[in-house]
Amino acid sequence: MTKLSVNINKIATLRNARGHNRPDLLQAARDCERFGAQGITVHPRPDERHIRYQDVRDLKAVVTTELNVEGNPTPDFLELVHEVRPEQVTLVPDAPDAITSNAGWNTIQHQDYLRQIVADLKGIGCRVSIFLDPVAELVRAAATTGTDRIELYTEDYARQYHAGPEAALLPYREAALLAQELGLGLNAGHDLDLDNLAYMHQHLPGLQEVSIGHALICDALYLGLENTIQLYRRQLK
């Protein structure tokens, strides 16, 4: 079964726009789980423009499924993760001014660095996933770091999906098969939505988890949060 982890960054963005606690991020996380989410994802950035570091601390106390914390492993981020000890940490090589994640790790260039980070995080009991483009050499290098999983960066798939799903998914299938061969777990995320998710789920071997935020929250504006989460879950059956 492929699990749905709901990224609630955009709910925090809406809250921060008014400076109060509406919508209530913690209640939103509880409701997402109640409506069928099998995990909650957050990506705190240094400027805290959406998820704040304190949010991560507070969410750890209320999330009952799995808390997945994404981010660039800067000293501040690692200090937070050591304090909170989420079930999963997804390492993402974001620049501080990135609007959203826009590339995976060069696991060949940063192999030794990532190996140290992975060992540190696994040492405190976190499952570790490395955000990655679907390139065989990068998957092979990721396997040498000791990471538990990779998360395939799916923007290219989403952009090319309507021109031809099979061709769009091909590099991801090859990366997924290689990950299985190397003993790596497999996650995916970025620009997945109700149009393209089911095809990926049906044709990507070994997919364990997808994290979806922006599209899901946009859909929820029209369809309602409970209904939207159920619709996304339906794509993963």
Side-chain angles (χ1 to χ4, degrees):
M1 180 180 67
T2 303
K3 292 183 177 181
L4 171 66
S5 185
V6 174
N7 186 317
I8 59 173
N9 278 21
K10 288 301 185 293
I11 295 175
T13 301
L14 182 59
R15 175 201 61 188
N16 294 352
R18 291 295 292 269
H20 301 293
N21 192 39
R22 188 175 184 182
D24 184 323
L25 189 77
L26 301 185
Q27 188 58 47
R30 293 187 190 97
D31 288 338
C32 285
E33 291 184 314
R34 184 163 57 89
F35 297 153
Q38 296 149 301
I40 299 295
T41 292
V42 291
H43 189 148
R45 289 184 165 87
D47 61 6
E48 298 191 321
R49 63 180 180 269
H50 35 63
I51 292 295
R52 300 167 181 155
Y53 276 30
Q54 187 58 45
D55 291 330
V56 182
R57 299 182 181 99
D58 295 340
L59 284 163
K60 177 60 177 177
V62 304
V63 170
T64 61
T65 53
E66 285 193 349
L67 180 61
N68 172 40
V69 181
E70 302 179 339
N72 195 328
T74 61
D76 286 348
F77 179 85
L78 290 174
E79 182 179 347
L80 175 69
V81 168
H82 270 256
E83 177 185 349
V84 173
R85 301 194 179 197
E87 285 74 20
Q88 180 170 265
V89 180
T90 300
L91 303 177
V92 182
D94 273 352
D97 59 349
I99 295 175
T100 186
S101 306
N102 55 19
W105 284 94
N106 183 332
T107 50
I108 299 170
Q109 180 181 349
H110 298 290
Q111 196 168 8
D112 291 338
Y113 171 69
L114 288 169
R115 186 179 294 118
Q116 295 173 12
I117 299 295
V118 168
D120 173 57
L121 295 175
K122 290 177 71 171
I124 61 169
C126 299
R127 182 172 70 240
V128 183
S129 181
I130 294 178
F131 197 58
L132 204 63
D133 293 292
V135 177
E137 293 80 7
L138 299 178
V139 176
R140 291 186 186 280
T144 71
T145 68
T147 190
D148 300 292
R149 298 185 184 184
I150 57 172
E151 179 177 331
L152 293 179
Y153 170 45
T154 52
E155 181 181 3
D156 282 348
Y157 163 74
R159 189 172 62 246
Q160 299 171 30
Y161 172 79
H162 289 289
E166 185 175 354
L169 193 63
L170 180 60
Y172 295 88
R173 279 185 55 82
E174 293 174 346
L177 290 168
L178 179 57
Q180 284 188 323
E181 179 184 323
L182 296 171
L184 292 171
L186 186 68
N187 298 342
H190 204 88
D191 287 349
L192 297 175
D193 59 27
L194 290 173
D195 290 328
N196 59 43
L197 180 58
Y199 186 87
M200 169 170 278
H201 173 250
Q202 292 162 9
H203 297 91
L204 195 64
L207 182 60
Q208 292 170 280
E209 176 185 299
V210 292
S211 58
I212 304 177
H214 184 78
L216 189 150
I217 299 303
C218 289
D219 289 334
L221 292 175
Y222 292 92
L223 304 173
L225 185 59
E226 180 174 9
N227 185 41
T228 298
I229 289 174
Q230 288 299 308
L231 288 171
Y232 275 85
R233 284 287 307 274
R234 199 172 300 164
Q235 309 309 305
L236 298 172
K237 290 184 178 178

